[in-house]
Amino acid sequence: MNPTPEPLATRGQPGTKDLAARFAKEFGGAPDGIWQAPGRVNLIGEHTDYNEGFVLPFAIDRTARVAVRVRPDSVVRLLSTYGDQGVVSTALDSLRPGSAKGWTKYPLGVMWALQERGIEVPGVDLLLDSNVPLGAGLSSSHAIECAVISALNELAGAGLDAQDMVLATQRAENEFVGAPTGIMDQSASLRGSEGHAVFLDCRDQNARLVPFETQPADLVLLVIDTKVSHSHADGGYASRRASCELGAEVLGVKALRDVQVGDLEEASGLLDEVTFRRVRHVVTENDRVLQTVELLASEGPGAIGPLLDASHASMRDDFEISCPELDLAVDTARTSGAIGARMTGGGFGGAAIALTPAALEQKVRNAVVKAFAEAGYRAPDIFTVSPAAGARRVV
């Protein structure tokens, strides 16, 4: 996707009146509706989703919004508020994996996936606006996909439930976009709820809302966007997934979900050193997710800091998906008062999260900015997030 644009959106919520007015200006009439879907922060549980394990993401209060109007033909016209790219037009019957470029591959991938399910997708005019940071590991692409599928599900009368939409957007990502992602991001965006994280079993898609509210505990959750862009469609993500699949095959299990922490000693004698470390991350990360869910229920968010720290160390050392900027953000946040911090998202860049006492928020912010400047890194974008509602129609 392109560098972070200046959207119509405010830093909080995009303005629906502005978006509708822009749509009318560009497409000559009012949209049939506006739908939105949030980005997500993964509290804990990284690279466990495609291993049929456990994850604990939550939808955030930053969204992608699409204004959509059905056309009388099978043409799709797409426009975003990002820069001056102009309208992109394509025919629905021309959609093939690899046929779209840039941000358009996300809405077009959803349309392709719905057609593959036998759903008659109408031609549409679509205007996208988003304030989910791009390339930050906050799932900006899935926010687009979930907003689009929410709109098309209604406009086409498809009658898909949340699980259907999760699988359709996953197919769009895997086969049309070419990113071998799991189901976590879509599940958080479609199933999110204010004040809750989504505890997801990626084997059977069973989802349970877990209370996660920082304010009563006098905490804030800071997102530190390092501005180091990443892409799920690159080789680093795919190679980690391949290592996990190799590990499961050698260990004779369907997926690494079936390996327990107590099995790791035996596994170390069966796997090469690199594959073992990849496996160890997934196995211990699954265990950390389960511990986090238990602690949130019994003691609250103030108790989960050590698990966040352990998660980052595992991703840095065993899965090797961190980078110097992420490590600096995490280390500086912790030494400045955060009770726990970790990188979040697929890795190789993106963002870190820091669970921080509210009274120390500014100290942590200032320290991270100073540390980045002294290291010669690009200034990070630092902001707070709260668990928000999932995808829905807003106009």
Side-chain angles (χ1 to χ4, degrees):
M1 297 178 72
N2 291 327
T4 304
E6 290 296 330
L8 288 176
T10 64
R11 292 299 299 274
Q13 287 290 317
T16 55
K17 289 183 179 179
D18 288 342
L19 194 61
R22 174 73 179 270
F23 184 97
K25 177 183 177 182
E26 299 290 348
F27 294 115
D32 292 332
I34 297 176
W35 289 260
Q36 75 175 31
R40 67 96 187 94
V41 158
N42 191 23
L43 185 61
I44 197 163
E46 225 64 75
H47 289 265
T48 50
D49 58 344
Y50 55 80
N51 289 292
E52 299 187 12
F54 305 104
V55 292
L56 191 64
F58 61 88
I60 62 174
D61 45 357
R62 291 192 169 213
T63 63
R65 285 186 169 177
V66 291
V68 185
R69 182 181 61 190
V70 173
R71 295 176 53 85
D73 53 27
S74 59
V75 172
V76 177
R77 296 195 298 172
L78 304 171
L79 178 67
S80 82
T81 60
Y82 304 169
D84 300 312
Q85 299 176 59
V87 175
V88 176
S89 296
T90 189
L92 282 166
D93 61 6
S94 71
L95 297 180
R96 303 287 187 277
S99 64
K101 305 296 181 183
W103 73 272
T104 65
K105 63 191 174 187
Y106 302 110
L108 293 176
V110 170
M111 296 173 194
W112 171 84
L114 290 176
Q115 288 181 317
E116 291 293 297
R117 289 179 67 102
I119 294 169
E120 187 174 345
V121 178
V124 295
D125 294 328
L126 183 151
L127 175 63
L128 166 70
D129 181 73
S130 177
N131 65 351
V132 183
L134 307 181
L138 303 182
S139 201
S140 57
S141 61
H142 288 95
I144 295 170
E145 292 166 348
C146 291
V148 171
I149 201 167
S150 297
L152 294 177
N153 187 40
E154 183 175 338
L155 294 173
L160 302 179
D161 61 18
Q163 181 171 334
D164 292 329
M165 290 191 284
V166 165
L167 294 177
T169 51
Q170 184 192 24
R171 185 174 185 186
E173 278 279 321
N174 292 173
E175 299 182 33
F176 192 90
V177 176
T181 57
I183 63 171
M184 175 181 67
D185 297 344
Q186 305 94 320
S187 296
S189 188
L190 290 162
R191 291 169 159 163
S193 176
E194 186 174 352
H196 294 80
V198 180
F199 175 43
L200 178 67
D201 183 333
C202 296
R203 170 160 285 173
D204 61 14
Q205 288 203 51
N206 180 55
R208 174 163 61 90
L209 295 176
V210 176
F212 177 63
E213 295 183 282
T214 55
Q215 187 174 359
D218 293 323
L219 297 169
V220 296
L221 191 71
L222 288 172
V223 172
I224 305 166
D225 180 1
T226 65
K227 300 295 185 178
V228 178
S229 186
H230 73 166
S231 171
H232 276 174
D234 68 9
Y237 186 100
S239 69
R240 297 309 186 277
R241 183 162 185 165
S243 289
C244 292
E245 291 169 352
L246 173 62
E249 180 181 355
V250 172
L251 296 176
V253 294
K254 181 175 182 289
L256 294 183
R257 149 72 170 272
D258 300 309
V259 182
Q260 306 301 313
V261 173
D263 300 327
L264 287 174
E265 184 175 355
E266 181 181 356
S268 67
L270 300 173
L271 301 169
D272 66 84
E273 188 264 339
V274 172
T275 304
F276 172 70
R277 287 191 290 109
R278 306 297 189 249
V279 168
R280 181 169 60 186
H281 164 72
V282 174
V283 173
T284 57
E285 187 80 345
N286 270 326
D287 187 61
R288 284 186 286 269
V289 174
L290 297 177
Q291 290 185 58
T292 299
V293 170
E294 291 180 3
L295 284 174
L296 287 174
S298 62
E299 300 182 40
I304 68 172
L307 292 169
L308 302 182
D309 294 342
S311 176
H312 184 77
S314 181
M315 290 184 287
R316 181 192 63 213
D317 302 333
D318 278 354
F319 224 60
E320 296 182 286
I321 55 173
S322 189
C323 66
E325 292 86 349
L326 284 169
D327 292 339
L328 181 62
V330 166
D331 293 343
T332 304
R334 285 291 285 115
T335 57
S336 303
I339 66 171
R342 63 184 286 273
M343 58 150 284
T344 187
F348 311 103
I353 57 174
L355 190 59
T356 304
L360 297 178
E361 176 186 349
Q362 197 58 51
K363 179 183 177 183
V364 171
R365 286 175 177 265
N366 293 344
V368 172
V369 169
K370 180 181 179 183
F372 270 55
E374 290 176 347
Y377 297 151
R378 185 178 175 186
D381 187 16
I382 306 175
F383 51 92
T384 60
V385 291
S386 300
R392 66 194 189 277
R393 182 173 181 149
V394 292
V395 174

